Amino acid sequence: MARHPLIGQPAPPVSLPGADGETYTLTPSEKGVPIALFFYPKSGSFGCTKEACQFRDALAEKDLFKRTKVEIVGISSDPVDKQKEFVEKQKLTYPVLSDAKGEVRKAYHVGKGLFGLAETARVTFLIDSKGTVRDVLDTTVNYSAHVKFVTKWLDKLEAEEKKAAEAPDASPAADEPPAVDTPNATIPEGSTVAELGRAAEAVQA
């Protein structure tokens, strides 16, 4: 499978109606936390329900998800009333957005799934705290792989941050002036200006 064009690129912002009908705006990097943005085919279907509930349970039960403060956001083409029913029935604790016009799917290069049989493919984007898309998992059939994919990447991001925090600061102190080499500027201790003048005349004679 070809590399997704957004990997290594800034994640596009998202602004869509949520299950409550209110516009939800997601600006990657704004909160300084990682984001797992998952697109799925259809609210209420077997695989999508399993996937959505796995993300719900991970947020509640996995220490890694709590420590990293990862933000989970789900998106499908279902209308707002369908999203509301889905969220309430499954007691989902994160935003589930309605991309009925396909604008965000287009921005994220998400097409149809199951050879065109599903309106939206099952694709998860892992976005780091700086707003960069680090990796993408595209598998419509294997719904259980997506939480595992996010877990793997959160482990990696946490290790990266720990390593960066432990790295010694090699840059010079900001308030330390650079050393300046000024040859012949030092006057020998005990010498007078007159003595130095006579010494200079003797050298030039």
Side-chain angles (χ1 to χ4, degrees):
M1 184 176 292
R3 176 184 172 91
H4 194 283
L6 282 181
I7 293 179
Q9 301 299 317
V14 173
S15 186
L16 290 172
D20 57 1
E22 298 293 323
T23 299
Y24 181 87
T25 299
L26 176 69
T27 305
S29 83
E30 184 177 54
K31 297 180 182 178
V33 297
I35 299 168
L37 185 65
F38 73 99
F39 294 81
Y40 63 94
K42 190 174 182 61
S43 291
S45 64
F46 177 81
C48 297
T49 299
K50 288 289 187 181
E51 179 187 19
C53 290
Q54 286 173 359
F55 276 118
R56 178 201 64 195
D57 295 345
L59 281 171
E61 300 168 5
K62 289 183 179 289
D63 288 338
L64 178 62
F65 279 63
K66 296 176 182 178
R67 286 198 310 270
T68 57
K69 299 179 181 179
V70 61
E71 190 168 359
I72 306 292
V73 179
I75 298 177
S76 76
S77 60
D78 295 288
V80 170
D81 58 344
K82 187 72 179 289
Q83 303 297 48
K84 184 175 187 295
E85 179 186 344
F86 185 48
V87 167
E88 291 177 350
K89 184 176 182 180
Q90 304 303 332
K91 297 180 174 57
L92 303 181
T93 55
Y94 51 83
V96 175
L97 312 181
S98 170
D99 186 26
K101 296 181 180 179
E103 296 170 352
V104 174
R105 278 173 286 155
K106 184 177 180 181
Y108 275 82
H109 303 269
V110 175
K112 295 185 176 184
L114 295 176
F115 306 102
L117 298 176
E119 180 65 24
T120 306
R122 194 184 312 281
V123 185
T124 298
F125 292 78
L126 196 291
I127 304 166
D128 67 18
S129 59
K130 296 178 182 178
T132 301
V133 176
R134 297 295 296 271
D135 204 358
V136 180
L137 177 66
D138 183 347
T139 172
T140 300
V141 176
N142 191 359
Y143 57 82
S144 64
H146 292 260
V147 169
K148 295 175 183 177
F149 165 76
V150 172
T151 301
K152 179 195 75 171
W153 264 101
L154 291 180
D155 261 328
K156 186 172 183 177
L157 292 178
E158 190 175 53
E160 286 179 2
E161 290 187 2
K162 184 177 180 181
K163 186 176 181 180
E166 293 175 349
D169 186 4
S171 58
D175 56 353
E176 184 179 323
V180 178
D181 186 15
T182 53
N184 304 324
T186 304
I187 298 176
E189 187 177 354
S191 301
T192 65
V193 174
E195 290 173 340
L196 291 173
R198 287 195 294 272
E201 290 175 357
V203 170
Q204 295 172 6

